[in-house]
Amino acid sequence: MTAELATIIDFIRYGASRFSAAGLTFGHSHDNPIDEATHLVLASLHLPPDIPPAYGAGRLTTTERESVLALIERRVSERLPVAYLVGETWFAGLKFKSDRRALVPRSPIAELIESGFAPWLDERRIERALDLCTGSGCIGIAMAEYNPEWQVDIVDVSSEALSLARENIAFQHVEGRVEAIQSDLFAGVAGRKYDLIVSNPPYVTEDEYAALPGEYAHEPKLGLTSGVDGLDLCLRMLDEAAGHLTDDGLLIVEVGESEHALAALLPEVPFVWIEFKVGPMGVFALERRDLVEHAAAIHAAAAARRPG
C-alpha cells in the first residue's frame, strides 16, 4: 500500500494515521499526530516547518520515500520521540539539535521568551541571566537570541547534556554571549549574580515517572525526576537563589504538576503562578526580596530533604 504514497502531504497523512492507530503518546513538542508527522516528514527531507503549502504536492524520490517510511515505522515500533529520530526540534521559533543526551526541548517558558517576559521585565534592566538545569541549552540560548544585549550562563550537572548544549551554542552562533558551565545548581557559579534566573528543572515525581508512556524512557531520567513529590531540586534552588540574584532580581521556575505540592509546602511564600495562552502551566515568578523575607521557611523545607 505504501507504493501509492507519492507526495509530502501523502506521507504526512500516512504518518499521522499510523501514529493514531498505534496509540502513540504526543508530549515532546507536539500534542497531536498531524503535527508529529509533519515534523518527522519535513525534518527528514531537510525542509523548514513553515514551508509554503504548495510544496505539499512535491513528490519524494525513491530514496526519500524509503527513509521517511523507515522513520515512521521506528516512531511506532520503538516509541522514540520524533526529535530524536530526526535529530532536531524547534523551541521559541528556533531550531535546536536534539538527541538522547538531554530532554527534548519543550517548556511554556518559550512563550515568555517570545513575549519579552512581559510584564515581568518591563521595568527592569537585564544584563546577566542564568538558565539553570539547561539540558539542551534551549531556554538560555533562546533568551540570548531574543535579547542580544544579555550575557547568559547556562548550567547543568550533566556533562552529556552540556556537550549537546555547547553544540547548540555553536549552531545558533551565540558563542560570545552564552557560556556553558557544568555545575550542581549554583556550585559552579560562585560569586556570580544575575538579574534573572530561569529554570525548567526536573520535577516529575517517582510515581509519575513509573506511569509515563514509553516515549519518555528514551530521555535521561536525571532530567525528569526529583524525589517523591518532584520538589527536591526546586527547594534547593529556592534556598540558594537569593545569593545569586541582584537586589532587584527575579526567579522564574517551571514545576509543572508539582505546583500544588509546592504551594502547600510553603503557603506563606508569595509565588506568582503565571498564566499562559493555554492557561496555567505550573510556572512561578518570585522576587529576590521574597526569597530573603521567607528564607527561614524555605531553608527548613530544603534542609528536610537533605540526606543525613
Side-chain angles (χ1 to χ4, degrees):
M1 287 188 293
T2 56
E4 300 172 11
L5 304 175
T7 67
I8 290 173
I9 287 295
D10 287 344
F11 281 89
I12 290 174
R13 198 282 307 156
Y14 173 76
S17 296
R18 287 284 289 123
F19 298 164
S20 293
L24 300 185
T25 293
F26 310 108
H28 295 88
S29 303
H30 308 297
D31 61 6
N32 65 82
I34 294 176
D35 288 347
E36 186 98 345
T38 301
H39 180 183
L40 184 150
V41 173
L42 294 182
S44 65
L45 296 174
H46 309 289
L47 295 172
D50 57 353
I51 187 172
Y55 284 88
R59 299 170 67 89
L60 277 65
T61 67
T62 298
T63 300
E64 289 172 338
R65 291 180 69 258
E66 293 172 350
S67 175
V68 171
L69 286 172
L71 289 174
I72 289 172
E73 293 311 308
R74 287 190 68 195
R75 177 68 183 92
V76 171
S77 63
E78 300 177 37
R79 295 299 201 264
L80 273 165
V82 166
Y84 288 173
L85 284 169
V86 298
E88 65 183 45
T89 194
W90 292 76
F91 178 84
L94 303 169
K95 185 162 76 171
F96 289 89
K97 296 183 177 183
S98 180
D99 60 38
R100 296 194 199 199
R101 286 175 287 177
L103 301 189
V104 175
R106 57 185 184 277
S107 172
I109 291 171
E111 183 181 318
L112 294 179
I113 295 170
E114 292 176 298
S115 69
F117 290 92
W120 303 99
L121 303 186
D122 289 356
E123 305 299 325
R124 300 175 200 262
R125 176 176 172 80
I126 305 296
E127 294 181 356
R128 296 190 64 87
L130 171 66
D131 171 15
L132 204 55
C133 305
T134 191
S136 64
C138 60
I139 289 176
I141 292 169
M143 289 197 299
E145 285 279 20
Y146 279 79
N147 303 277
E149 71 279 12
W150 293 9
Q151 285 294 131
V152 182
D153 289 344
I154 62 175
V155 165
D156 205 286
V157 71
S158 166
S159 59
E160 288 196 344
L162 277 181
S163 68
L164 177 60
R166 290 189 175 100
E167 290 178 21
N168 277 319
I169 288 173
F171 186 66
Q172 292 292 343
H173 308 292
V174 291
E175 296 95 329
R177 295 184 289 110
V178 180
E179 181 181 359
I181 302 165
Q182 185 171 5
S183 173
D184 181 5
L185 289 187
F186 297 102
V189 292
R192 299 192 187 194
K193 293 204 172 187
Y194 303 94
D195 306 298
L196 174 67
I197 297 175
V198 180
S199 183
N200 177 16
Y203 57 73
V204 175
T205 71
E206 293 294 343
D207 286 345
E208 287 171 342
Y209 183 78
L212 285 175
E215 281 82 353
Y216 295 88
H218 298 284
E219 296 186 296
K221 184 179 181 182
L222 181 67
L224 289 168
T225 62
S226 189
V228 174
D229 60 2
L231 294 175
D232 286 5
L233 209 62
C234 176
L235 289 171
R236 283 183 54 203
M237 193 182 303
L238 288 169
D239 192 29
E240 300 171 20
H244 296 273
L245 283 165
T246 55
D247 290 346
D248 194 33
L250 182 71
L251 174 68
I252 294 177
V253 182
E254 177 180 344
V255 294
E257 292 298 321
S258 294
E259 166 188 344
H260 308 292
L262 181 60
L265 188 65
L266 293 168
E268 67 276 30
V269 177
F271 298 107
V272 178
W273 297 98
I274 298 173
E275 286 283 332
F276 293 85
K277 292 175 183 176
V278 296
M281 297 290 288
V283 178
F284 70 77
L286 197 60
E287 303 280 354
R288 181 187 184 274
R289 59 180 175 270
D290 294 319
L291 287 166
V292 172
E293 182 179 347
H294 299 279
I298 292 170
H299 181 73
R305 304 297 177 99
R306 296 193 181 106

